[in-house]
Amino acid sequence: MTDSGRTWREAEQALEAGIDFDRANAARIYDYLLGGACNFAVDREQAAKILTQNPDMAYVCRANRDYLRRAVDWCLAQGITQFLDLGSGVPTAGNVHEIALAHRPDARVAYVDFEPVAVAHAHEVIDGIEGVSVTRADMRDPEAVLAAPGVADLLDLDRPVALLTVAVLHFVPDAALPGILARYRAALGPGSVHVMSHGSADHDDPELAARTRAIQDGYRGSATEVVLRSRAAIRELLGDGELVAPGLVDIVDWPTPSPGERPTGGYAAIARFS
């Protein structure tokens, strides 16, 4: 037995799959905060730390999930039926394919994530569903992602695609991120859009900024620490795309203001880029 109670063979299998039992991971923490079951003790412990820093964190996760639903609905209303979901995480209620296929049975959804538990569970969830795939790949390598069979064989990149980077980019510290995203956008057909949400401490309200920084502190020591970018830096991640109204706003205020909802500290936007 290992110190954690697993057999040596179980530990070897986890290592082969790339599963890190010793450090919490954003996808599994998010799953736990949304009430899911695909997480480990280390993730729940990290989530407890985050909630201690900011008790609003579960609310922020739910608000982000609600934004994803509204954004997918908006894309479908524009006639966009193909979705490339980078950093899709552990599937839970309100998955992109559930939303899309309910309205358009011909929709196509390609999920991409690097976390092995998220990918394994996604395979179980989408098993037998036509028009949906999951690929284990690093989103920082656009060429590999776009060439993967689950993407290249499913999506018609000559037609409009919604590039989804929802609640994932603040876990990518790479300074080359604007260029990475530009390579994805360049590969997608006319009429495509970039759907984004991203955490930030760049707010006029000092209390809101402090709450968001507290979330960042809560992720320290995990395998996926948080990088909070300014409004200007977040806008830069969308390239020269034209922002859809109402522009770059708090997650709860897209696409219409929600004065009864407390702000999350995360920004949301959709940009037309081709």
Side-chain angles (χ1 to χ4, degrees):
M1 299 290 287
T2 66
D3 291 340
S4 60
R6 299 184 304 277
T7 67
W8 287 113
R9 182 53 190 151
E10 288 171 336
E12 289 173 356
Q13 290 173 335
L15 184 61
E16 290 167 2
I19 299 173
D20 187 350
F21 285 100
D22 298 319
R23 290 194 298 167
N25 176 276
R28 303 190 308 257
I29 293 170
Y30 190 65
D31 172 69
Y32 173 71
L33 290 170
L34 287 172
C38 291
N39 49 77
F40 305 133
V42 67
D43 305 306
R44 297 187 286 275
E45 291 167 6
Q46 193 81 35
K49 178 181 177 182
I50 295 167
L51 290 169
T52 298
Q53 298 281 357
N54 186 342
D56 269 356
M57 187 56 189
Y59 164 76
V60 171
C61 291
R62 291 192 299 271
N64 193 78
R65 200 71 181 178
D66 289 342
Y67 161 67
L68 175 63
R69 174 185 52 77
R70 297 193 301 271
V72 172
D73 283 342
W74 181 89
C75 290
L76 293 169
Q78 309 305 305
I80 300 172
T81 60
Q82 299 189 107
F83 299 87
L84 176 57
D85 190 353
L86 302 180
S88 51
V90 178
T92 186
N95 298 308
V96 173
H97 73 275
E98 292 176 332
I99 302 165
L101 293 175
H103 298 285
R104 290 290 302 263
D106 61 337
R108 297 289 180 266
V109 179
Y111 292 117
V112 177
D113 206 293
F114 190 69
E115 209 288 314
V117 173
V119 172
H121 187 56
H123 276 296
E124 293 179 3
V125 169
I126 70 168
D127 185 39
I129 302 178
E130 186 177 353
V132 186
S133 71
V134 59
T135 298
R136 187 181 179 210
D138 189 335
M139 64 162 285
R140 293 173 297 180
D141 188 349
E143 287 72 28
V145 169
L146 293 169
V151 177
D153 295 348
L154 180 68
L155 303 181
D156 180 354
L157 301 187
D158 292 328
R159 294 177 46 238
V161 175
L163 175 67
L164 307 180
T165 59
V166 176
V168 64
L169 298 181
H170 45 239
F171 296 113
V172 183
D174 200 326
L177 187 56
I180 291 170
L181 295 171
R183 278 148 54 198
Y184 279 107
R185 292 191 294 263
L188 304 184
S192 295
V193 298
H194 187 171
V195 178
M196 177 197 291
S197 66
H198 194 300
S200 177
D202 186 0
H203 305 287
D204 294 334
D205 181 350
E207 182 181 344
L208 178 59
R211 291 205 309 269
T212 310
R213 284 193 293 270
I215 293 175
Q216 181 183 41
D217 291 341
Y219 275 92
R220 295 195 193 284
S222 73
T224 44
E225 296 194 355
V226 169
V227 178
L228 297 177
R229 294 181 172 90
S230 67
R231 277 182 60 97
I234 293 171
R235 178 63 183 89
E236 182 184 1
L237 295 178
L238 293 165
D240 58 1
E242 175 190 359
L243 294 189
V244 171
L248 190 64
V249 297
D250 193 274
I251 290 168
V252 298
D253 292 325
W254 200 99
T256 56
S258 301
E261 298 285 343
R262 63 186 183 278
T264 66
Y267 287 113
I270 294 182
R272 301 181 189 273
F273 58 87
S274 61

